[in-house]
Amino acid sequence: MTVTPDSIPIDSKPNSVDLPGSELAESSRAGQQDVPAPKSATLIVNASSRNGQESFETARRLLEENGVHIEAAHALEKGDSLEKLISDAAAKGSKLIVVGGGDGTFRSAAGSFARTDAILGVLPLGTVNDFARNLGIEPNLEAACKVIAEGKTALIDLAQAHDDCFLITASMGLSALAQTSLSPRLKKVLGPLGYLVATMLAWRRLRHLEVTLKHDGKTERMRVMQAGVINGHSWMGGQCEIPGVSLESGRLAFYALPPQNNAGYLRIARQVRRGQFFNAPGLRAFTTQDITIETKHAHPLVLDGDLCGQTPVRLRVVPDALRVCVSQDFMKPGTANAT
């Protein structure tokens, strides 16, 4: 079945659900968006991210030059606890906590932010930077600092895989095999090209998965080479626009690619290059608020680019879970920023 944007509708936003260990009732965050961001902040930069070390002092300087007073600054080294730094900063009264890193860093930070009223300021320093792209923040340090200095707050959704959080995507199959071949050194040296190299290495080990899907009162079974969900309108470093979802829609876009012959794989690759993944031949796709995926044997999951957990897994949306700093012209669903 070929999927078009019209076949992936956005339904009404679901009722708020609770993240384990937090209180996230919708009413508790009412009135906490579309207000100016604070002018003082705690800065935490993942120095092990692709551009982290060289960006730490630059970010500090740019934020100060743009009128944001830095109360405390931390260059996160290997072994440091990002979650503890965020929790401690929030406990000390920091209302704006600026985090620099890649998608994996923001995924690690998300649960801590969801349990506080602190605002997340985003400095995209990773390889793909899908989270920042979905917020309309350019992967450029100077531009990102201006957003933090001049922007407003917005409420966005968070997604869960069991008790783990993710922001943009959860997947299994080819992506999980590729991730096992993608070393930190490969990412740092080759950047986005590293993902292509790792994917080519994974082809040799690819085995199709038998999956059972449980969603919206239905049960489906299928064979897939790749399956996952997306919580955002922009994916694969901005290569693909995803119809029917955004960080504020309260929906996940599920996709599954069945086994293909070699010609089919080439057609899929062409669709991805054209930014039309959801028009790939044979793609099964729909939106949902909550889905459980089971496999015959436990299979690893990739959450925002990191291997994290395994099947069976329940994937769901936590609406309005995060307060983030965005530009003043940040678009809401139904406008140009949300397909």
Side-chain angles (χ1 to χ4, degrees):
M1 161 179 156
T2 299
V3 178
T4 64
D6 292 339
S7 67
I8 311 184
I10 299 180
D11 294 345
S12 59
K13 197 162 188 172
N15 295 325
S16 182
V17 295
D18 286 344
L19 188 72
S22 68
E23 303 261 339
L24 289 179
E26 232 172 286
S27 59
S28 70
R29 291 180 179 261
Q32 294 187 1
Q33 62 179 338
D34 293 333
V35 296
K39 294 301 181 183
S40 60
T42 296
L43 173 64
I44 305 172
V45 172
N46 181 3
S48 64
S49 65
R50 189 169 185 239
N51 301 307
Q53 189 64 54
E54 57 268 37
S55 300
F56 174 65
E57 290 298 338
T58 303
R60 185 173 187 167
R61 174 179 59 78
L62 287 171
L63 288 168
E64 292 275 8
E65 287 177 356
N66 280 279
V68 179
H69 170 62
I70 301 302
E71 304 165 327
H74 307 275
L76 189 68
E77 301 293 345
K78 189 175 182 180
D80 291 343
S81 172
L82 175 61
E83 294 87 347
K84 186 176 187 306
L85 286 173
I86 293 168
S87 298
D88 288 349
K92 291 175 183 176
S94 186
K95 299 299 182 184
L96 172 61
I97 303 174
V98 178
V99 177
D103 289 329
T105 300
F106 295 115
R107 181 192 64 78
S108 297
S112 298
F113 276 96
R115 295 179 178 92
T116 75
D117 278 335
I119 301 164
L120 168 61
V122 175
L123 297 179
L125 304 176
T127 304
V128 180
N129 299 309
D130 271 340
F131 179 52
R133 293 176 195 277
N134 276 275
L135 294 173
I137 298 172
E138 297 178 31
N140 172 288
L141 195 56
E142 186 170 356
C145 287
K146 280 190 174 294
V147 168
I148 292 166
E150 302 172 2
K152 62 182 181 181
T153 61
L155 292 174
I156 64 168
D157 300 339
L158 179 63
Q160 278 186 273
H162 292 314
D163 290 340
D164 289 316
C165 300
F166 66 98
L167 291 161
I168 302 300
T169 182
S171 63
M172 64 193 69
L174 178 61
S175 60
L177 290 176
Q179 198 65 31
T180 63
S181 302
L182 186 63
S183 67
R185 178 173 174 77
L186 191 63
K187 287 174 64 175
K188 196 158 190 172
V189 172
L190 297 181
L193 183 60
Y195 287 91
L196 177 60
V197 173
T199 300
M200 292 174 65
L201 293 172
W203 277 114
R204 300 178 180 179
R205 298 182 289 143
L206 180 62
R207 299 291 183 272
H208 303 138
L209 294 175
E210 301 280 349
V211 300
T212 299
L213 312 177
K214 297 179 180 179
H215 65 96
D216 306 300
K218 306 171 187 176
T219 298
E220 301 181 53
R221 293 178 177 83
M222 64 181 70
R223 296 174 68 229
V224 303
M225 56 164 285
Q226 170 81 13
V229 297
I230 304 167
N231 177 43
H233 71 277
S234 179
W235 186 39
M236 292 188 181
Q239 288 188 67
C240 294
E241 287 290 317
I242 310 303
V245 294
S246 76
L247 284 173
E248 299 175 294
S249 68
R251 307 289 291 181
L252 298 172
F254 172 84
Y255 69 92
L257 275 173
Q260 308 277 323
N261 57 28
N262 289 338
Y265 290 134
L266 289 174
R267 286 194 294 269
I268 292 167
R270 282 197 295 268
Q271 295 294 81
V272 170
R273 289 188 64 185
R274 295 170 181 167
Q276 298 177 345
F277 174 78
F278 271 71
N279 289 324
L283 184 77
R284 172 79 172 107
F286 53 84
T287 66
T288 185
Q289 301 166 7
D290 193 320
I291 184 170
T292 296
I293 305 176
E294 300 173 350
T295 54
K296 185 175 180 181
H297 304 289
H299 188 82
L301 295 171
V302 178
L303 304 182
D304 290 332
D306 291 332
L307 286 169
C308 188
Q310 60 186 22
T311 58
V313 62
R314 181 187 178 191
L315 306 167
R316 59 175 180 156
V317 175
V318 185
D320 293 344
L322 295 179
R323 298 176 72 199
V324 296
C325 188
V326 296
S327 65
Q328 289 291 341
D329 60 356
F330 178 69
M331 300 290 189
K332 291 190 166 42
T335 63
N337 197 43
T339 305

